[in-house]
Amino acid sequence: MPTSINGWEVLDNPPWGDPRAKKKKIAATGTDLWVRKEAWPLFAALVTDYNKAINKVTSSDGYDYRQSRTSGNWSNHSSGTAVDINASAEGAVGLGWTKWWTTLGRNRKAQRIRKMYQIVTWGAWTGIADDPHTPQTEGWDANWADAMHWELKAGTTVEDVKRVIKFLGITADGVRKNDINGKPLSK
């Protein structure tokens, strides 16, 4: 079975018969999210936090059976371990990389979300030392940096996903109940 860049097995194509895949609507955004079932609550909570902190979410694109656009490996989307948030509005088709930064505070807010979701990395690799997607580690052009892209870090396991879900108090419906320190959110 082939694996994606971050080491997870690629899901079946089409995935609807694959027991490892899950598609469900995120209540806070009304968008569908199709990813690996173990990671669904984690990504749903992340998309919800993005919706609250950065910009209204109009799409959350997860699973996509394809090769990576930056290397000859399978994309992390093919394993259901990556999500593009607002791809057509904020990705290369929409705002594009340079314009994404023009909205005040986006970088800072995205960095906070990334830090909170310890095992998730963000496609805006610039200045992030432990991000596996860098031109130096993968041999791709820096122009491929992608602010809409979020994924599980290389080497992340199912147990890691469960640990972070528990630490952040994320429910099965993707609602985060704890803060960045694992403490219950104040009401």
Side-chain angles (χ1 to χ4, degrees):
M1 178 63 82
T3 58
S4 60
I5 293 168
N6 61 8
W8 289 67
E9 285 186 355
V10 171
L11 299 174
D12 293 343
N13 185 32
W16 47 81
D18 191 325
R20 300 169 297 172
K22 180 176 183 173
K23 182 178 181 180
K24 185 176 174 183
K25 191 172 293 299
I26 301 170
T29 65
T31 60
D32 287 330
L33 179 60
W34 195 337
V35 293
R36 186 167 223 98
K37 73 176 179 185
E38 298 92 347
W40 191 93
L42 182 86
F43 280 124
L46 186 147
V47 169
T48 298
D49 283 335
Y50 186 102
N51 187 67
K52 289 177 187 174
I54 297 175
N55 197 17
K56 179 178 173 28
V57 172
T58 58
S59 69
S60 49
D61 304 319
Y63 172 82
D64 186 6
Y65 188 80
R66 64 174 173 79
Q67 296 285 310
S68 170
R69 292 186 179 110
T70 61
S71 74
N73 298 322
W74 282 95
S75 166
N76 291 331
H77 288 282
S78 68
S79 63
T81 59
V83 175
D84 289 339
I85 301 174
N86 292 342
S88 60
E90 297 182 49
V93 177
L95 285 178
W97 176 244
T98 55
K99 290 182 183 174
W100 193 89
W101 296 105
T102 61
T103 303
L104 184 63
R106 278 188 175 202
N107 182 25
R108 192 173 64 254
K109 292 172 185 174
Q111 292 285 3
R112 277 195 296 254
I113 290 172
R114 180 186 168 276
K115 184 177 179 183
M116 182 170 23
Y117 289 86
Q118 309 153 18
I119 58 173
V120 176
T121 194
W122 173 42
W125 59 268
T126 306
I128 304 171
D130 67 342
D131 189 334
H133 285 282
T134 66
Q136 295 79 16
T137 61
E138 294 190 351
W140 51 273
D141 186 334
N143 291 326
W144 278 100
D146 193 347
M148 69 177 178
H149 184 81
W150 299 78
E151 66 189 13
L152 294 183
K153 290 180 180 180
T156 298
T157 66
V158 171
E159 290 307 312
D160 294 330
V161 172
K162 289 177 181 177
R163 177 184 49 80
V164 173
I165 287 172
K166 182 177 180 183
F167 180 78
L168 293 175
I170 299 172
T171 68
D173 288 329
V175 176
R176 184 174 54 82
K177 301 286 188 178
N178 294 346
D179 65 17
I180 195 167
N181 300 309
K183 304 290 182 208
L185 294 171
S186 56
K187 299 206 178 206

